[in-house]
Amino acid sequence: EVFQNLLLASFLTLSENTISKHSIKTVIELSKNLHVLRHTEALHINLSKDDFNLENIFAQIADKVSKVINQDHAAIISCEKSTGIAATMCIPYLLKYQGIGLKVAIKNMKEKRPNLVMDPEIIVKLEA
């Protein structure tokens, strides 16, 4: 859990057991193909196809996380490429709905996950 009701997972470790254990209702999946997990709603984003429109993706993720958290549920962001991309994709929610600046958001993420390597290309686009 990186923030209240917002979790990260490596695509390879995302399991129905994890979903159940943390009462996750929504999976935001960054992958080429959607992998359906029972009892969850999915927001599937194919970054390799959609990354030219990252502003729209940032808004989609931020809005979905906010909606889920406001309903007192949990969301998990999972990426098949790396947890660094998944972690970086938590930042749009923090910027838009928590009023946190980019540098503070990055610092908070690194405090929660000290070994985290965030995606520098996405960080540059978040700065824009």
Side-chain angles (χ1 to χ4, degrees):
E1 189 169 49
V2 291
F3 296 96
Q4 186 174 355
N5 290 338
L6 180 57
L7 297 95
L8 296 177
S10 162
F11 185 78
L12 297 174
T13 62
L14 186 58
S15 68
E16 288 188 24
N17 184 39
T18 301
I19 301 289
S20 176
K21 178 181 173 184
H22 295 283
S23 301
I24 295 165
K25 300 293 181 196
T26 300
V27 175
I28 299 170
E29 183 179 341
L30 309 167
S31 64
K32 288 184 181 177
N33 300 303
L34 175 62
H35 300 86
V36 178
L37 292 169
R38 291 183 292 163
H39 312 296
T40 64
E41 176 186 350
L43 171 59
H44 177 247
I45 297 171
N46 183 343
L47 280 183
S48 62
K49 186 172 126 182
D50 297 332
D51 60 4
F52 66 91
N53 194 6
L54 278 175
E55 281 186 36
N56 184 38
I57 291 170
F58 295 156
Q60 278 184 297
I61 291 172
D63 295 346
K64 177 57 88 174
V65 169
S66 177
K67 180 180 176 185
V68 170
I69 289 174
N70 286 337
Q71 294 173 344
D72 289 325
H73 295 298
I76 191 165
I77 299 179
S78 174
C79 181
E80 70 183 353
K81 290 183 182 180
S82 80
T83 54
I85 292 173
T88 308
M89 288 303 201
C90 290
I91 292 178
Y93 164 75
L94 300 173
L95 298 175
K96 186 172 182 178
Y97 289 99
Q98 297 297 314
I100 297 172
L102 182 60
K103 288 181 181 183
V104 173
I106 292 169
K107 180 181 176 233
N108 288 347
M109 292 296 292
K110 291 191 177 213
E111 286 174 358
K112 299 278 185 173
R113 302 251 331 265
N115 296 326
L116 183 66
V117 178
M118 301 187 93
D119 188 284
E121 290 179 29
I122 295 174
I123 294 293
V124 167
K125 293 190 179 182
L126 282 166
E127 289 175 330

